[in-house]
Amino acid sequence: MDIAKMDEFAKKKGFFWPSSEIYGGFTGFYDYGSNGTLLKRKFENAWRKYFLGLNDNFFEIEPSDIMHEKVFAASGHVEGFVDPVAKCSKCGTQHRADHILEDFLHESFEGLTPDELKKIIVEKNVRCPSCKGELKDVYVLNMMFPVDVGGNKKGFLRPETAQGPYVNFGRHFNLLRNRLPLGLSVIGKAFRNEISPRNLTTRTREFTQAELQIFFDPIQIEDHPQWNEVKNYRLLLHPVTKRDQKPVEMKCADAMSEMKLPKFYLWHMAKVQQFYLDVLGVPKSKFRFKELSEEERAFYNKLHWDIELDLPSLGGFREVGGVHYRTDHDLLGHQKTSNKSQEIFFNGKRFIPHVLELSFGVDRNVYGLIELNYEEEGDRAVLHLPPAVAPFQVAVFPLVNKDGLDKVAKEIFVGLKKKFDVVFDQSGSIGKMYYREDERGTFYCITVDYETKSKKSVTVRDRDSKKQVRVKVKDLEKNLERLLAGEMKFEKSGTAIKPSKPRKK
Ligand code: GAP
């Protein structure tokens, strides 16, 4: 899939398209359609169930999107959350300086200073992509959106969800009976005034993050109570020292001894990788952790490995999240700026907890799931989404809208709705309805036909194999449950139906 095809597919099939489209779109903002919203919610639900399930002291909270300007002065965003910009001396357009170099020279320039970027721009004679004018000035711009609140107070739209848990940490530590590790997660919007939004929903000015802030005692970084579970688990790593090579597969225990990564950090990396491979069904070859160098790391991180998926439409492996060891950077900043102690008393000592952050861009992951599961079959497409994220699990159709078949189909649909994510359709030929479901990844299509009335059975069609079986209506719910849980083979769920021979002309 290339990006033009993704754009077309996403628009045509109800996933996403530019915001304010009837006014020509609004750069950097996207709207999700009905299928896209369902897929996004499914991803969020799968994320929530999995990551909050890692520890009984992990909880979700909902802090506000607009926060006091002092929050971001304390976190370092007012000063440090900047992007390098190159301004064209002819047309005045501002471009992300590292991105135009990346497009021109096909390598990464992340983390270079404006002076370093300017030097390369001049040396390589890189020109304005819009008008070929000279790029004379290279400087930094802050990416936060300031908000004038009530006429006399300043706030910012949060550029990351993380600061909500930080400013609410003390209250939660007390509320949740003074236990560490404590996890506070937020699934919500973040806003960044990106200089060059691009690549559809993967670099926008308003996007959704799913982030988990894990507060822990810093001496615990070298250990994890469930270390034995992961010590032989093989991580897919792309270290700084091996950038020109394929990712290496390395046991957690070896990554600890050879790469000096702490156990607490590695345990969480293993859990992140298992989420992608086991829950989202991402093939091993399409996943890796990329280590960031000191210059590339976010200003608040001591350890920083990006989570990357191989997305050819975007040019190869691209960041969709990160595992960040933020130390006490944020709580210390809030203590200094607010004059409110962020220290806790735990295990007989007083200290400021450290933070391990698991950070995910929901929109990039949704984009990745579409691309990784998209397959063309002739002139149509199938999304081979895993059960955890497919917008619908089951679709129900009547063969024809007469002789009471539509009524029976509706009854079956209503019955199944209590257990599954089901959609009802009666708006076209069976073939067309199958295609429509394939395109949004629906697992099983149930057709109510004349035998349903006479023999109390329906046909069930499998999305991936296209095989069909006849199943007794009374067994339908139980069989679907087992099929979706991976406990039953499709062929065993009913009597096989031979594919009908093409009619002679
Ligand atoms: N709290 C840490 C943090 O915000 P980040 O690497 O700046 O870290 C986390 O962002 C994730 O948010 C990224 O890995 C990416 O998936 C997503 N993200 C960041 N900027 C984005 C943008 N402009 N558009 C869409 N997603 C974005």
Side-chain angles (χ1 to χ4, degrees), residues 160 192 194 202 204 209 211 300 319-321 357 359 361:
E160 57 168 358
R192 297 182 188 176
E194 295 279 353
T202 67
T204 53
Q209 290 186 320
E211 296 193 303
Y300 42 73
E319 173 200 344
V320 295
E357 173 185 63
S359 173

Side-chain angles (χ1 to χ4, degrees), residues 223-266:
D223 204 3
H224 193 284
Q226 288 144 278
W227 169 249
N228 282 345
E229 259 177 32
V230 304
K231 67 177 184 198
N232 292 320
Y233 182 74
R234 302 175 86 84
L235 293 172
L236 297 154
L237 301 176
H238 192 51
V240 163
T241 49
K242 296 189 176 143
R243 281 277 166 90
D244 52 345
Q245 294 168 27
K246 284 193 168 161
V248 286
E249 269 196 55
M250 196 183 268
K251 281 185 188 171
C252 284
D254 296 337
M256 185 191 78
S257 52
E258 289 171 34
M259 308 194 65
K260 308 285 170 245
L261 289 170
K263 282 185 184 173
F264 193 76
Y265 190 82
L266 284 163

Side-chain angles (χ1 to χ4, degrees), residues 29 207 388 390 399:
F29 297 91
F207 53 97
L399 179 69

